[in-house]
Amino acid sequence: LEISSLSENDILVLRLDLTDRSSHEAATNSVLKHFGKIDVLVNNGGRSQRSLFVDTNLDVYSAIIELNYLGTISLTKHVLNHMIQRKKGKIVTVSSVMGIMGAPLATGYCASKHALQGFFNSLRTELTDYPEISILQICPGPVQSQIIQNVFTENLGKSLENSGDQSHKMPTDRCARLTLVSVANDVKEAWISDQPYLAVCYLWQYAPTWAWWLMNRMGKRRIQNFKSGIVSVQGAPL
């Protein structure tokens, strides 16, 4: 408010729990009552994971899917109904490069992001009668954020002991700017990452056999580092 021409009526902040799906319709209606319309929905809620599958309780996987996947599509459903009535809008979902490849210590997280990729790619095909409703997926690589401090581990309620160094990751403001550029240009899927992680995305897309070989080698080192208490090292993508 201090640095822009916005007024207090131009801003509405609502508390929202993605896992409380029964509250999403009321939250959507509150926004519509305040602004009269919704132009853009940015799905940016979720938690990552750091644990080996063989050590992880199945309740963790249920919680990941409930939050990252079901919570996201629940909110999308209520907002999309409004956009269909208007025949206009943008639905932007922050997925991950883990939505287009696989990585150790993140089986549940990767699964939830793959689910979002499949869902929104399919939803896009159902909206061909609404050409002004855009479905966009943003796939960041490693970005400086608080996501590592709040990851799921092998048991619900257990936090990660060592969040590691984040200095090698993309700055948050750089990722945000590239996301805005992607949204402004209606890019259906944007991979936002520094090298060498971006190169791995292309390898996974166009030369999967080589990507599997590379990820097996990188994955083995990553698991060794994890067991040794080293969570993040240069060159080993999180």
Side-chain angles (χ1 to χ4, degrees), residues 28-45:
T28 303
N29 290 337
S30 295
V31 174
L32 290 174
K33 182 178 179 181
H34 185 87
F35 293 106
K37 63 178 181 178
I38 298 176
D39 295 306
V40 182
L41 168 65
V42 180
N43 291 309
N44 191 38

Side-chain angles (χ1 to χ4, degrees), residues 20-219:
D20 183 9
R21 286 181 268 151
S22 63
S23 68
H24 296 173
E25 183 177 11
T28 303
N29 290 337
S30 295
V31 174
L32 290 174
K33 182 178 179 181
H34 185 87
F35 293 106
K37 63 178 181 178
I38 298 176
D39 295 306
V40 182
L41 168 65
V42 180
N43 291 309
N44 191 38
R47 289 176 66 183
S48 188
Q49 176 194 10
R50 292 294 176 274
S51 62
L52 289 167
F53 170 66
V54 294
D55 299 329
T56 306
N57 193 298
L58 287 179
D59 289 344
V60 173
Y61 289 89
S62 178
I64 292 174
I65 294 298
E66 183 67 41
L67 173 61
N68 293 7
Y69 176 63
L70 292 176
T72 295
I73 67 172
S74 171
L75 187 60
T76 296
K77 185 175 181 65
H78 294 294
V79 175
L80 180 59
N81 288 335
H82 163 71
M83 290 182 175
I84 287 176
Q85 292 176 5
R86 292 185 65 212
K87 298 183 178 181
K88 184 178 181 181
K90 292 178 186 285
I91 296 178
V92 184
T93 300
V94 179
S95 178
S96 169
V97 295
M98 295 295 98
I100 57 178
M101 65 175 69
L105 303 175
T107 49
Y109 179 73
C110 289
S112 69
K113 295 301 184 178
H114 274 70
L116 288 175
Q117 293 287 115
F119 173 81
F120 283 105
N121 283 336
S122 299
L123 178 61
R124 191 184 295 111
T125 67
E126 294 184 4
L127 297 173
T128 53
D129 289 338
Y130 303 93
E132 293 192 49
I133 297 180
S134 302
I135 303 294
L136 303 91
Q137 298 185 83
I138 307 299
C139 300
V143 175
Q144 295 173 10
S145 73
Q146 297 297 314
I147 193 171
I148 301 301
Q149 287 87 333
N150 297 287
V151 296
F152 285 103
T153 60
E154 62 269 22
N155 294 305
L156 291 175
K158 181 181 177 181
S159 59
L160 191 67
E161 295 180 359
N162 179 11
S163 59
D165 174 42
Q166 295 201 53
S167 61
H168 65 283
K169 298 181 181 181
M170 177 180 286
T172 310
D173 58 351
R174 170 69 172 164
C175 181
R177 177 173 176 79
L178 292 175
T179 297
L180 289 173
V181 170
S182 302
V183 173
N185 288 278
D186 274 344
V187 177
K188 290 182 175 62
E189 183 174 292
W191 304 346
I192 299 176
S193 181
D194 289 328
Q195 300 293 2
Y197 315 113
L198 189 60
V200 177
C201 295
Y202 281 93
L203 194 64
W204 197 275
Q205 182 83 0
Y206 297 110
T209 300
W210 284 104
W212 296 332
W213 176 83
L214 178 62
M215 291 303 292
N216 283 343
R217 290 177 61 88
M218 296 174 65

